[in-house]
Amino acid sequence: MIRTLIADDQEAVRRSVRRILDAQPDIEVVGEAADGQAALEQAAELRPDVALVDIRMPRLDGLEVTRRLSGSVRVVVLTTFDLDEYVYPALRHGASGFLLKRSGPSLLAEAVRAAADGESLISPSVTVRLLKHVTAPPRPAQPAPVVPLTEREVEIAGHVAAGRTNADIAAELFISRGTVKTHVASIQRKLGVPNRVGIAVYAWEMGYPVPQ
């Protein structure tokens, strides 16, 4: 069972999200918070696996909540607008993905499951489109990581940026899911990023080939 915390200052949103998640057989909503500080307190007390965090909340905003929870709780950031100036910093602070509030029930449940599995939601229909807008143009002059990525890792990073899951990448490249998982872990370690979203951001910034 995936223990989930909902943090949003709008009661109607919390109620709607809870209703959707409570209907899932593998997800349990263990708490709700109406502001950022309460979200941190609830997370410390309830120790959820995943926190759905509104980007704009009183007391502490979603960016700061994400920064403080990163490493202990997987955070999926919720946003109202297609382009939100806080989304990119949230990804940099360790968010496992982000979701538009108007997304349907299936995508919401998918985001929670993806975060819990360590396969952050980077769907071609939502996340990649936003990443194209919120990331800077490619900067070839940017220093390479201390340990450069191999040709295969660059290829896999591009697939991650395209929103592919490990299973998708394995099928596309004719390798096992375990091999993909090993490569992804190696890329995260080399780049010093906490999750797949960080890989995607880096791939877009560096101008890596991203399959359509």
Side-chain angles (χ1 to χ4, degrees), residues 63-136:
L63 176 60
E64 181 62 17
V65 172
T66 299
R67 186 186 71 79
R68 296 194 192 186
L69 290 182
S70 179
S72 59
V73 179
R74 297 193 182 277
V75 177
V76 175
V77 172
L78 298 174
T79 180
T80 301
F81 306 103
D82 283 8
L83 295 178
D84 189 316
E85 66 271 23
Y86 294 112
V87 171
Y88 181 53
L91 299 180
R92 280 298 197 196
H93 279 70
S96 292
F98 63 87
L99 199 65
L100 300 180
K101 288 185 179 180
R102 64 173 180 268
S103 300
S106 60
L107 193 58
L108 178 61
E110 179 187 347
V112 172
R113 294 189 183 103
D117 289 341
E119 291 196 2
S120 312
L121 182 68
I122 313 175
S123 68
S125 61
V126 180
T127 312
V128 170
R129 178 171 58 81
L130 294 179
L131 280 172
K132 287 180 179 178
H133 289 283
V134 300
T135 55

Side-chain angles (χ1 to χ4, degrees), residues 152-165:
R152 175 64 97 182
E153 288 171 344
V154 168
E155 184 178 24
I156 288 177
H159 280 281
V160 170
R164 309 284 170 77
T165 65

